[in-house]
Amino acid sequence: MKLASLFTGAGGLDLGFEKAGFHVVWANEYDSTIWETFEYNFPKTKLDRRSIVDVSDSDIPNVDGIIGGPPCQSWSEAGAVRGINDKRGQLFFDYVRLLKEKQPKFFLAENVSGILHPKHAEAFNNIIKSFQDAGYVISWKLLNTNDYDVPEDRLRVIIIGYHKKLKKKFDFPA
């Protein structure tokens, strides 16, 4: 299955999907300090270097799924915790915009555990609703990446959506 990766960073999430048999054909990353690393690790993937706000659905090839982790600084408990009031926190809505326009079979979004802080409850619920309104059946869960062979003890919120036309809901393994 072909994937597009938004907010790709150095490609850690992409690498996991590639190891699972997926193929990341297109990626987007705005941070120029990461480009060289990503392109070294993924020489066959087209890297779009523009801000996500400047990317349209026609820029992204037809794919089966979209993956990505919108910037976490807005939600991180170690950061300013401005959440949706921070421009970076609002980039979740560009993820939703592209998802709504492309309508792939599924998506996976990940972010820091701080997004679940009670201070961000309304914003998080609005993000989930936006994914639903884009046409997806949503499942989400707080997971420790170490339980999935990632060599660090790191909590991450994983949001997975299957397109409604598939009539499926993702069930996280026990």
Side-chain angles (χ1 to χ4, degrees):
M1 294 183 105
K2 294 179 181 177
L3 301 177
S5 177
L6 307 178
F7 312 101
T8 200
L13 187 60
D14 304 32
L15 179 61
F17 271 88
E18 293 252 339
K19 285 186 171 189
F22 294 86
H23 180 59
V24 179
V25 295
W26 183 93
N28 174 261
E29 178 54 55
Y30 183 62
D31 185 344
S32 63
T33 64
I34 300 173
W35 295 341
E36 185 178 356
T37 301
F38 181 85
E39 289 175 326
Y40 178 82
N41 289 324
F42 298 91
K44 294 179 181 176
T45 300
K46 175 171 176 25
L47 179 62
D48 186 314
R49 299 173 178 209
R50 294 174 295 161
S51 169
I52 196 76
V53 301
D54 297 324
V55 174
S56 74
D57 67 310
S58 62
D59 298 321
I60 302 171
N62 289 330
V63 292
D64 299 294
I66 294 178
I67 61 172
C72 62
Q73 299 92 332
S74 307
W75 313 103
S76 175
E77 294 174 47
V81 197
R82 286 180 270 170
I84 204 70
N85 297 319
D86 184 334
K87 284 185 180 183
R88 294 170 297 188
Q90 295 168 10
L91 293 175
F92 248 110
F93 296 113
D94 281 289
Y95 188 121
V96 173
R97 171 183 60 83
L98 291 169
L99 188 69
K100 191 173 190 175
E101 292 168 354
K102 290 304 288 183
Q103 294 289 296
K105 295 173 186 165
F106 72 94
F107 78 90
L108 181 141
E110 65 89 21
N111 216 281
V112 295
S113 61
I115 200 168
L116 297 178
H117 189 282
K119 175 181 181 174
H120 303 308
E122 182 179 353
F124 182 72
N125 289 334
N126 285 339
I127 289 168
I128 296 298
K129 185 173 181 336
S130 294
F131 282 131
Q132 291 169 331
D133 291 346
Y136 292 84
V137 177
I138 305 302
S139 300
W140 67 269
K141 189 170 184 177
L142 179 65
L143 301 174
N144 187 330
T145 60
N146 192 251
D147 294 337
Y148 298 87
D149 297 327
V150 175
E152 62 184 342
D153 192 30
R154 192 173 193 185
L155 296 176
R156 283 289 187 254
V157 175
I158 305 296
I159 306 166
I160 298 174
Y162 281 132
H163 197 281
K164 288 179 180 176
K165 68 183 176 191
L166 297 176
K167 299 182 188 317
K168 293 176 74 169
K169 182 172 182 174
F170 182 81
D171 292 319
F172 285 91

